[in-house]
Amino acid sequence: REAEAAYDAAAAALTAARTEAATRLDAAVTGELIPLKMERAVFLTVVSPGDPGPEGRDTVAFTVATNPGAPSGPLDKIASGGELSRFLLALKVCLARGNDALVMIFDEIDRGVGGATADAVGRRLQALAQGAQVLVITHSPQVAALGAVHFRVSKSVSEGMTTSTVVALSAPERVAEIGRMLSGDRVTEAATEAARALLDG
């Protein structure tokens, strides 16, 4: 009976702490969604009763509504690929806040977005890098152009073995690589000019 009473008290305190933290997280994520061009999306952390266990007796779920009037539902079921990438970026930024020694790695966080949205994601990552070390793996020229340092990663196969090579790019090599990202294997003069514009922007 004593153990049960102690568990109930601890679980109730944990539920209260989770509920309060959920409110703060929801507000923080909502603020992060605005520069990511998702100002109409609604993010909500739902803390509901669950089966008692060593981590309390709550079930915690992230729910979203991506458009006005649309029903909300589980983040992984409702959000499209591009929306999911931006929700995850917003979440990661909020959860990392205050930890300046952090190294954050984003692997294709810009998946499923392009144009102005890719630029918005790149600018948010660029701002994030002012207070932490940020490594971004991307196929988006808009995002790559906003990096402070640009590495090209390539793979080759020799005698049945795959080798990955990482090369730091000089300023002219960056122009060429972003031009290639824009136009494919045959880099046109228009793509090169667009690459310069992205890097200057």
Side-chain angles (χ1 to χ4, degrees):
R1 283 196 296 270
E2 288 176 2
E4 185 176 18
Y7 176 86
D8 288 343
L14 186 54
T15 298
R18 281 181 173 143
T19 302
E20 192 271 332
T23 301
R24 285 186 286 115
L25 180 62
D26 293 346
V29 170
T30 298
E32 283 295 325
L33 292 174
I34 294 169
L36 295 174
K37 299 194 176 296
M38 294 186 72
E39 56 278 347
R40 295 179 181 169
V42 177
F43 177 90
L44 189 63
T45 307
V46 178
V47 180
S48 55
D51 294 330
E55 296 178 352
R57 53 186 177 205
D58 305 313
T59 298
V60 181
F62 297 139
T63 64
V64 298
T66 54
N67 295 299
S72 62
L75 173 62
D76 59 338
K77 299 281 193 283
I78 296 289
S80 68
E83 290 166 342
L84 185 59
S85 295
R86 286 178 281 165
F87 275 117
L88 294 178
L89 173 56
L91 263 171
K92 200 162 188 176
V93 168
C94 294
L95 295 174
R97 194 164 283 148
N99 189 348
D100 294 338
L102 204 60
V103 176
M104 287 179 274
I105 301 173
F106 296 94
D107 187 358
E108 296 188 38
I109 196 70
D110 49 10
R111 181 174 56 90
V113 300
T117 304
D119 182 68
V121 169
R123 292 191 186 282
R124 188 62 194 96
L125 290 166
Q126 186 182 49
L128 185 60
Q130 303 305 310
Q133 184 171 9
V134 177
L135 304 174
V136 180
I137 300 158
T138 182
H139 294 286
S140 168
Q142 292 95 335
V143 173
L146 291 166
V149 179
H150 192 160
F151 295 91
R152 181 180 58 235
V153 181
S154 58
K155 290 183 180 179
S156 60
V157 179
S158 177
E159 298 179 3
M161 291 293 295
T162 302
T163 303
S164 295
T165 305
V166 181
V167 178
L169 301 182
S170 65
E173 288 171 330
R174 270 191 94 181
V175 172
E177 181 62 17
I178 291 173
R180 187 195 63 73
M181 293 171 80
L182 285 164
S183 66
D185 288 337
R186 183 175 168 272
V187 180
T188 63
E189 184 56 36
T192 301
E193 285 305 312
R196 288 194 184 100
L198 281 175
L199 286 163
D200 292 341

